[in-house]
Amino acid sequence: MYSRPAILEVGLSSTSPDASQADKPSHFIREIILEDLRTNRFGGRVHTRFPPEPNGYLHIGHAKSICLNFGLAAEFGGKCNLRFDDTNPCKEEVEYVESIIEDVRWLGFDWEDRLYYASDYFEQLYEWAIQLIKAGKAYVCDLSPEEIRQYRGTLTEPGRNSPWRDRSVEENLDLFQRMRAGEFPDGSRTLRAKIDMASPNLNLRDPVMYRILHATHHRTGDKWCIYPMYDFAHGQCDSIEGITHSVCTLEFEDHRPLYDWYLDQLGIYHPQQIEFDRLNLTYTVLSKRKLLTLVQKGYVRGWDDPRMPTLSGLRRRGYTPEGIRAFCSRVGVSKTNGIVELSLLEHCIREDLNKRAQRVMAVLRPLRVVIDNYPEGQTEELDAVNNPEDPSMGTRKVPFSRVLYIEREDFREDPPKHYYRLAPGREVRLRYAYFIRCTGVVKDPATGEVVELHCSYDPATRGGNAPDGRKVKSTIHWVSAAHAIPAEVRLYDNLFLKPNPADESEGKDFTEYLNPESLVVLEDCKLEPSLRTAKPGDRFQFERLGYFCVDPDTAPGRLVFNRTVQLRDTLAKIEKAGKENG
Ligand code: ATP
Ligand code: MG
């Protein structure tokens, strides 16, 4: 049976101190929370949130953030909110809101009655903007977006004050109210925080708080034509919801001083922002913009294409929530961005499916075999084990008859050294059935292709053992031709050929690294009859081939399967994954 390579344990020991702790690895964020609990900083509360922007589907990187936020809340008896960060109506859609809700739930997390939207707080945010204007901490600026950029300066040069920086409070209040009333066109004015144009942190050089956007919002309709910027919304939303630990990815580290500045100036409840590393995976892109390009340009069939790293794609592929959660736990969190091997994710999925997936026999590239000495018209029902990992899953009957299908690659007319499967004159075991010996080969006279084998079987070997103790070197799977169910099987490979397709340093667009063979469709597969009742989403192990899942394209009379993952890790891949994470 499959056993986990030792190297993986070693390589991941930093995040999984021992197997029993695998779902509660310690890390710096946990330590911060433990310390805050010790000092009673938030009155013993732990309250996190997952704040997606509804401008795309969730992907495996988001899963890391979801598992972290909901996981911390669960571990410390706290709460975790689901909050849509819907401050940019131009890119946001209800379709995305709905998919995000479905995906977080599917991953296994529950926000109870705490589903919120930043747009719920637009009125309060507006009031707070007025408060900052009255305090002389915010002003209406008439510079164009391009001019604002020019005035901002660079990392090495300080910025310049806007000519509109010293408007009176009265004028600012009047203009801001008229901005809200819709008197000005998009881009003509902004509301900016008055902080410091010479700050070494560019985020503090009078950042924009509000912009004019005459756009219809998916929840507030046309009520607003000014929208708060992410930085002005995020901390205050956290504050309103009583969040204790506002966990986000490292690119927001430089925004933390601004997060703190707004909360301090407003004098409201102040959560703690903590940053962790984004998940990156080899042979994958995890930028929503790039994923959107793949969908819009038709490189994949949609957001839920089984090659996509989206949660809906992984679900369709057959990945389990349990396997994804185990992966997120294993990658852990840190303060430096890295890249995790895709094979580690596959390993976690395989480990989970190994425990739960029923074994069945399926032939993907069929070769007909006639057992000449087996009585014509006879069928017997043989016992097959459903899951050797879990005896409680029992056994089932598999029909055996005179004509079978075996896998094309399980026969070689001219077997190379170390090839132990079927060949002329050679004997092998048919899984759960009999020993058979190859006695003849039928070829297509035109092409020379092998189209049929003739074999004899040994009736004394029923169940797979010879009473005389003779051995065979190989066991192959098979399906009875008369009982076989036809199916289409879709085989997937990495979507990209390059380990880091997002790296555009070669001057190429990431789409140039797409793998043209990421999808191979096999239309003429033969399945054992127990699969007749399989439903979309059902997962199986096809013996010797891998884990497979029924695709929603399945219709009456047309079974479609996706290959979820192949059966074995290659040790080399895992070893490499261990090193990079260790
Ligand atoms: P955008 O470029 O649109 O901001 P995003 O991937 O950051 O994309 P959000 O909807 O803002 O998307 O993400 C929601 C949350 O998920 C954020 O807290 C973000 O930090 C986190 N997140 C996004 N991508 C990853 C990733 N690759 N690894 C870990 N966390 C992520
Ligand atoms: Mg983001």
Side-chain angles (χ1 to χ4, degrees):
M1 252 324 88
Y2 180 79
S3 66
R4 194 201 293 175
I7 184 81
L8 194 69
E9 294 287 4
V10 175
L12 295 175
S13 58
S14 61
T15 52
S16 315
D18 73 72
S20 63
Q21 284 287 306
D23 55 349
K24 278 185 196 166
S26 200
H27 51 68
F28 75 97
I29 300 181
R30 223 175 142 256
E31 296 302 321
I32 291 172
I33 293 178
L34 284 169
E35 180 60 18
D36 289 344
L37 290 173
R38 262 192 295 275
T39 60
N40 207 30
R41 178 167 173 205
F42 295 106
R45 290 186 313 118
V46 173
H47 200 151
T48 56
R49 84 286 167 269
F50 174 64
E53 180 177 359
N55 62 352
Y57 280 59
L58 296 182
H59 54 61
I60 184 75
H62 294 112
K64 172 171 169 172
S65 173
I66 295 166
C67 290
L68 182 61
N69 278 295
F70 281 92
L72 287 168
E75 182 182 352
F76 294 105
K79 292 176 179 158
C80 181
N81 300 353
L82 176 60
R83 182 204 314 143
F84 287 99
D85 165 28
D86 56 347
T87 52
N88 184 4
C90 303
K91 289 186 175 172
E92 296 162 6
E93 284 176 31
V94 174
E95 177 195 347
Y96 297 140
V97 171
E98 288 168 354
S99 74
I100 289 170
I101 288 176
E102 182 185 357
D103 289 347
V104 179
R105 203 167 269 150
W106 175 76
L107 252 197
F109 297 105
D110 183 6
W111 50 90
E112 299 173 317
D113 56 353
R114 297 178 310 279
L115 172 60
Y116 301 123
Y117 296 82
S119 55
D120 294 342
Y121 313 130
F122 279 174
E123 197 64 54
Q124 173 68 73
L125 291 168
Y126 179 81
E127 294 303 321
W128 277 330
I130 299 276
Q131 184 185 330
L132 291 185
I133 294 173
K134 286 183 175 163
K137 301 287 182 184
Y139 62 97
V140 172
C141 178
D142 297 0
L143 293 181
S144 69
E146 181 49 36
E147 287 166 329
I148 289 182
R149 250 191 306 278
Q150 286 164 4
Y151 274 74
R152 183 177 298 132
T154 63
L155 281 173
T156 49
E157 278 170 52
R160 283 177 290 141
N161 283 351
S162 162
W164 312 99
R165 200 173 198 261
D166 295 317
R167 276 177 159 150
S168 69
V169 168
E170 291 67 34
E171 192 183 3
N172 282 321
L173 282 175
D174 174 62
L175 285 171
F176 187 52
Q177 276 151 9
R178 288 166 61 197
M179 277 169 65
R180 176 180 182 169
E183 283 189 32
F184 311 119
D186 288 2
S188 59
R189 292 199 157 94
T190 55
L191 183 72
R192 298 177 67 178
K194 195 189 275 191
I195 308 182
D196 178 7
M197 286 309 290
S199 170
N201 184 338
L202 269 64
N203 293 305
L204 296 181
R205 294 185 187 172
D206 291 11
V208 173
M209 295 164 57
Y210 270 89
R211 67 246 202 254
I212 302 174
L213 267 181
H214 290 267
T216 304
H217 186 282
H218 60 102
R219 294 191 80 243
T220 58
D222 294 323
K223 181 170 182 211
W224 294 90
C225 61
I226 54 171
Y227 289 94
M229 300 300 288
Y230 171 87
D231 283 316
F232 185 65
H234 197 76
Q236 284 82 294
C237 293
D238 284 345
S239 177
I240 292 169
E241 294 177 12
I243 300 305
T244 54
H245 301 87
S246 178
V247 178
C248 62
T249 34
L250 282 175
E251 70 272 23
F252 292 104
E253 199 163 13
D254 288 347
H255 295 241
R256 185 168 8 106
L258 182 54
Y259 181 103
D260 292 339
W261 190 88
Y262 284 132
L263 295 171
D264 289 342
Q265 296 301 320
L266 291 169
I268 55 179
Y269 165 77
H270 197 144
Q272 175 66 53
Q273 177 178 305
I274 305 168
E275 309 83 19
F276 69 97
D277 61 318
R278 276 182 101 81
L279 175 73
N280 294 298
L281 267 186
T282 55
Y283 302 102
T284 309
V285 293
L286 291 182
S287 127
K288 280 197 240 175
R289 185 179 57 77
K290 291 193 168 77
L291 294 175
L292 183 64
T293 302
L294 293 175
V295 173
Q296 285 181 337
K297 296 212 173 147
Y299 291 114
V300 294
R301 286 176 34 171
W303 285 100
D304 70 343
D305 187 300
R307 291 166 291 180
M308 291 281 273
T310 52
L311 294 182
S312 53
L314 298 175
R315 172 166 67 237
R316 186 164 182 175
R317 175 96 169 240
Y319 281 32
T320 58
E322 294 83 355
I324 293 174
R325 295 201 304 260
F327 168 75
C328 291
S329 174
R330 282 193 187 183
V331 298
V333 293
S334 80
K335 274 284 188 190
T336 40
N337 282 322
I339 183 159
V340 173
E341 287 286 330
L342 183 58
S343 58
L344 182 64
L345 174 59
E346 293 176 343
H347 170 86
C348 292
I349 299 305
R350 196 181 285 119
E351 205 171 51
D352 183 47
L353 288 172
N354 182 42
K355 286 181 262 167
R356 64 174 76 230
Q358 169 168 348
R359 276 55 171 169
V360 292
M361 291 198 286
V363 174
L364 300 189
R365 295 174 178 92
L367 175 60
R368 224 172 105 92
V369 174
V370 181
I371 316 276
D372 293 311
N373 61 338
Y374 194 86
E376 218 152 332
Q378 178 174 312
T379 299
E380 35 181 329
E381 300 279 322
L382 300 168
D383 289 315
V385 175
N386 285 334
N387 188 344
E389 297 286 306
D390 182 358
S392 76
M393 287 173 72
T395 60
R396 68 188 185 286
K397 297 286 185 191
V398 184
F400 184 86
S401 64
R402 189 168 190 264
V403 182
L404 313 170
Y405 292 114
I406 65 166
E407 211 65 63
R408 272 193 174 274
E409 63 176 33
D410 284 339
F411 173 79
R412 291 282 190 91
E413 198 178 11
D414 199 4
K417 217 176 158 186
H418 304 306
Y419 184 91
Y420 300 117
R421 292 173 260 171
L422 204 56
R426 190 181 285 175
E427 189 171 51
V428 299
R429 176 189 294 109
L430 293 179
R431 181 90 159 133
Y432 305 121
Y434 296 99
F435 286 9
I436 59 166
R437 186 180 301 280
C438 180
T439 54
V441 178
V442 181
K443 292 186 190 174
D444 180 324
T447 62
E449 186 199 9
V450 175
V451 292
E452 184 176 287
L453 302 180
H454 284 263
C455 293
S456 63
Y457 87 115
D458 177 355
T461 57
R462 193 175 200 268
N465 288 305
D468 63 6
R470 89 182 178 275
K471 299 279 184 237
V472 286
K473 280 198 166 157
S474 148
T475 301
I476 65 176
H477 62 275
W478 52 277
V479 171
S480 164
H483 305 89
I485 306 176
E488 173 183 321
V489 175
R490 300 172 181 167
L491 305 179
Y492 302 100
D493 197 351
N494 297 342
L495 189 50
F496 293 94
L497 293 168
K498 199 175 134 169
N500 184 4
D503 163 27
E504 286 166 347
S505 62
E506 289 169 14
K508 289 187 180 172
D509 185 70
F510 76 103
T511 56
E512 294 185 55
Y513 303 116
L514 279 161
N515 176 5
E517 282 158 35
S518 59
L519 170 62
V520 172
V521 179
L522 302 176
E523 312 244 9
D524 181 33
C525 306
K526 308 288 184 185
L527 313 181
E528 68 165 67
S530 73
L531 286 169
R532 193 180 305 280
T533 53
K535 306 264 175 315
D538 287 354
R539 306 178 182 98
F540 300 90
Q541 183 193 99
F542 290 180
E543 292 211 27
R544 299 177 63 229
L545 298 174
Y547 294 97
F548 292 77
C549 168
V550 184
D551 189 84
D553 283 348
T554 288
R558 181 169 177 256
L559 261 179
V560 180
F561 274 84
N562 295 315
R563 183 171 69 196
T564 307
V565 63
Q566 278 166 297
L567 222 44
R568 263 173 276 274
D569 304 84
T570 67
L571 199 60
K573 277 188 187 169
I574 291 292
E575 214 162 326
K576 212 168 151 220
K579 275 199 197 107
E580 276 168 33
N581 289 290

